[in-house]
Amino acid sequence: MTYLMIFITGIFVNNIILSQFLGICPFLGVSKKISTALGMGMAVTFVMTLATVVTYLLYYTFLQPYGLEFMNTVAFILVIASLVQMVEIILKKTSPALYGALGIFLPLITTNCAVLGVALLVIQKNFTLMAGICYCLAAALGFTLAIVIFAGIRERLERTNVPPFMRGTPIVLITAALLSMAFMGFAGMSY
């Protein structure tokens, strides 16, 4: 399978939020403004890529050779939490401006199931390291695309005349469902 096909299907067809329903908490919680959604998307892209590389190496150099494959979920969670903490400490020391820009997003990523989900999917799909990185970047860009589009729609909904019984959570969930259905139109492209 070509890297281009992995990349395109990872963004559109198998969108981590809209098709696989991973990362719904930040999708609904951090998508009120485009700026915060974009910040969350960039932070997720960075941490997801780093976590995928480290968990891939951990799995194939330690867990699989010693027959500890059953420990992958626990090990991956520990790795992701440790990476987020390490990145937070390093950014705080080396780049306070970037640390301030990411703000609350870094701790939120620790509990983002999309990061763990992509790390596990790379192992389940038997990707090579390069294909795994390609898939990870595509999933992260798909996450960012979905959350930014949703934030744009939510900003417009704030300025429209929505019936009182539909305001708030009901219209947000209906919008998310419609956006997910729109992305289902890409289902003809799959791997």
Side-chain angles (χ1 to χ4, degrees):
M1 177 176 323
T2 66
Y3 293 127
L4 180 63
M5 191 63 160
I6 291 171
F7 195 74
I8 290 171
T9 56
I11 294 173
F12 298 109
V13 179
N14 296 323
N15 186 287
I16 202 74
I17 294 176
L18 300 173
S19 296
Q20 298 183 18
F21 307 112
L22 294 172
I24 297 293
C25 292
F27 179 68
L28 295 175
V30 187
S31 63
K32 291 182 181 174
K33 291 184 181 179
I34 292 176
S35 59
T36 56
L38 191 58
M40 182 65 169
M42 288 188 296
V44 164
T45 300
F46 177 72
V47 171
M48 191 181 286
T49 305
L50 189 61
T52 299
V53 170
V54 172
T55 55
Y56 182 93
L57 295 173
L58 173 73
Y59 184 83
Y60 284 109
T61 59
F62 184 73
L63 296 177
Q64 190 182 40
Y66 294 106
L68 299 172
E69 294 94 346
F70 63 93
M71 294 287 293
N72 67 352
T73 304
V74 174
F76 288 7
I77 289 171
L78 290 173
V79 165
I80 291 166
S82 300
L83 281 173
V84 170
Q85 290 300 313
M86 187 175 65
V87 166
E88 190 171 5
I89 290 168
I90 291 170
L91 283 179
K92 198 175 202 179
K93 296 283 185 194
T94 61
S95 180
L98 181 59
Y99 175 76
L102 290 175
I104 191 69
F105 299 131
L106 277 174
L108 283 176
I109 294 170
T110 305
T111 58
N112 187 346
C113 60
V115 177
L116 176 62
V118 168
L120 290 171
L121 285 171
V122 166
I123 299 301
Q124 287 175 357
K125 292 178 183 283
N126 292 320
F127 283 140
T128 63
L129 182 58
M130 288 307 296
I133 292 170
C134 181
Y135 176 74
C136 168
L137 287 172
L141 289 175
F143 177 92
T144 304
L145 177 69
I147 199 168
V148 168
I149 289 172
F150 192 59
I153 294 170
R154 286 185 73 175
E155 282 184 1
R156 289 194 63 156
L157 282 173
E158 291 296 319
R159 298 187 303 266
T160 59
N161 188 15
V162 178
F165 63 91
M166 292 295 289
R167 289 186 187 135
T169 305
I171 195 69
V172 168
L173 293 176
I174 289 170
T175 304
L178 290 173
L179 187 59
S180 179
M181 287 173 57
F183 267 69
M184 287 175 65
F186 295 114
M189 304 168 30
S190 64
Y191 62 94

